[in-house]
Amino acid sequence: MTIGATIKQLRQEQDITQEQLAEALGITSRAVSQWENDRTAPDISQLPALANFFDVTTDYLLGVDIYKRKEAIDSILKYDTVNFGMIGDMDGSIRHLTEKIREYPNSHELIQALTTSLYSKYFQSSPEIEEAEKRRKAEEILALCDKGLKYAGKNISAIGGFYQTMVYLNTYLGNIEKAQELASSMPAIPCSGEMLYSRTLKGKDKTESHQYLLLNLMWYACHEIRRISWDEDYTLEEKASMYELGENLIHLIAGDDPVFYNDTLNEMCQPLMWVCKELGQTEKALDVLERGIGYAEAFENRPDVGKYSPCWLNLATDEKQYTTKHNMASSYEEYMDELERGGFFEAFKGNERFERLVERLKEKISK
């Protein structure tokens, strides 16, 4: 980042106008504008005054400290992922990130990570939280997003992440017009950063980028299938066909061993299992449960680094450290909870195959 860009960022972060900065330094606002647009640069004699004004070091203005700061923030985020995100310890993540933000209060990366952990805890993993507490947290997370946007600059990825959370929470709070305004201001899928960036590459880099994009589109497609299935106008048979579509789609694209997408397969199997039970299709429900336990086992024992078998994904590599969970329950415990909530124990009482599968789950949970 140039010294002009650094001055502009510091000025905007501290809500200072070009005129105010110019007055403090005894120069014209046009001179400040010239710096920020990289047409000219401050004289070396002006650096101490600039550093004192913004309460930073001259090294920071010159970009020396910026790289150290980035390394420190990257290290904090990696620690958070490995020690909290991978095991679903959202409380630990929230404590850790809140503490680190005190050290780096203008880091949009840390703020975004904190909003993600808060959203995960209060809106994805703890349905027993009281409504009043969830609404209070929604307002708190929205305020964090506003703060993060202030420091995100032109980082489209960061802006998109904040907007996504803000759309979700404004919708939850009933602020529909605000949510729609935010959503409509973001680029459409054909103009997304991932799609556009792939077009700028060549050779293997281009192929690899498109392969990761294919995996992401598969993930989004599966989640849209689930959202479509929530419409109460669909019959149980139609819902079953949707979940089977999602399961087949993952295997079609990611292969027989979807590595890090086994958790997405679980998200298809659990509702499919319930639908089959409701339709009275006992054996099919047990087939789905058995497949689901296999997916759970594959996900819990996922490798540190994994590759996919299809030739169209031959360059794509995923790492365990980038998989996050919304709570500390294992995939096996999630299946057991689903069986208890869905009334399976009452419906399949005395069924030997069901009892064997439950014992298999209990053995996995006890290890």
Side-chain angles (χ1 to χ4, degrees), residues 36 52 56 122 140 197 316 318 346 348 359:
E36 294 184 357
N52 288 332
V56 297
Y122 288 94
E140 179 183 320
Y197 190 76
D318 279 332
E346 296 83 1
F348 294 164
E359 285 303 313

Side-chain angles (χ1 to χ4, degrees), residues 215-282:
L215 283 170
N216 285 337
L217 290 174
M218 176 194 74
W219 184 87
Y220 280 112
C222 287
H223 279 261
E224 291 309 314
I225 289 169
R226 288 188 66 208
R227 292 185 180 102
I228 292 170
S229 74
W230 295 341
D231 191 320
E232 293 302 322
D233 290 338
Y234 289 113
T235 66
L236 290 176
E237 289 86 355
E238 288 171 332
K239 289 175 181 283
S241 67
M242 293 181 201
Y243 299 131
E244 289 169 345
L245 169 63
E247 188 179 0
N248 291 334
L249 178 62
I250 294 172
H251 283 301
L252 176 65
I253 294 177
D256 293 334
D257 181 14
V259 195
F260 297 99
Y261 289 91
N262 280 293
D263 60 331
T264 310
L265 284 166
N266 285 328
E267 292 174 352
M268 292 295 164
C269 280
Q270 289 175 13
L272 176 58
M273 181 175 67
W274 180 84
V275 168
C276 290
K277 177 187 77 71
E278 292 297 298
L279 289 170
Q281 300 171 348
T282 302

Side-chain angles (χ1 to χ4, degrees), residues 95 108 132 160 193 207 266 269 280 301 304 308 312:
R95 287 193 300 270
H108 68 80
T207 303
N266 285 328
C269 280
N301 296 305
D304 290 335
Y308 301 91
W312 50 84

Side-chain angles (χ1 to χ4, degrees), residues 22 51 90 115 192 212 216 243 252 255 281 302 334 340 347 352:
M90 293 301 105
T115 61
S192 71
Y212 282 117
N216 285 337
Y243 299 131
L252 176 65
Q281 300 171 348
R302 60 200 184 280
E334 289 178 355
E340 292 172 350
E352 292 183 3

Side-chain angles (χ1 to χ4, degrees), residues 286-356:
L286 295 178
D287 288 341
V288 177
L289 174 57
E290 189 164 11
R291 288 203 306 274
I293 294 174
Y295 296 146
E297 186 171 15
F299 182 71
E300 292 297 328
N301 296 305
R302 60 200 184 280
D304 290 335
V305 179
K307 294 185 70 68
Y308 301 91
S309 56
C311 62
W312 50 84
L313 295 175
N314 65 320
L315 300 177
T317 301
D318 279 332
E319 296 183 32
K320 184 177 182 179
Q321 65 172 322
Y322 298 125
T323 59
T324 58
K325 300 172 65 178
H326 298 307
N327 56 61
M328 297 182 70
S330 68
S331 299
Y332 309 121
E333 290 169 316
E334 289 178 355
Y335 267 100
M336 190 65 78
D337 289 343
E338 188 68 25
L339 294 177
E340 292 172 350
R341 284 197 304 266
F344 285 85
F345 287 95
E346 296 83 1
F348 294 164
K349 186 176 182 180
N351 184 297
E352 292 183 3
R353 184 183 177 193
F354 175 71
E355 291 175 356
R356 286 197 303 271

